[in-house]
Amino acid sequence: MNNQYCRVGTVTPITSGSEAISVLEVMYNNFMEKASEVAHVDTRLGEFFKRKAQGIKKVLESLS
């Protein structure tokens, strides 16, 4: 058995893979669904999900 080493704290950006656009689209749709489901119950949480979705949308637009 070979030793395997990992770097603690290293992060692979989500926008660096070949499937980045499809992953980001799924994340955007999930946040928008959550925002619409929660908006009538908790407006602050709904706004949080909308802001997250808007951030992902900006990243998608920059990749396109």
Side-chain angles (χ1 to χ4, degrees):
M1 181 185 263
N2 294 334
N3 291 335
Q4 294 181 350
Y5 300 100
C6 67
R7 294 183 189 165
V8 176
T10 60
V11 177
T12 303
I14 199 164
T15 58
S16 67
S18 60
E19 300 175 358
I21 292 177
S22 61
V23 170
L24 288 171
E25 286 174 345
V26 169
M27 289 175 62
Y28 173 77
N29 290 330
N30 285 341
F31 278 122
M32 287 304 290
E33 286 177 24
K34 288 178 184 180
S36 66
E37 290 173 1
V38 178
H40 62 281
V41 177
D42 187 358
T43 56
R44 288 183 8 192
L45 186 58
E47 288 297 319
F48 171 77
F49 286 137
K50 281 184 184 178
R51 283 192 307 270
K52 286 295 220 182
Q54 288 172 349
I56 292 171
K57 186 176 180 181
K58 286 181 184 179
V59 173
L60 277 170
E61 289 172 351
S62 69
L63 290 176
S64 298

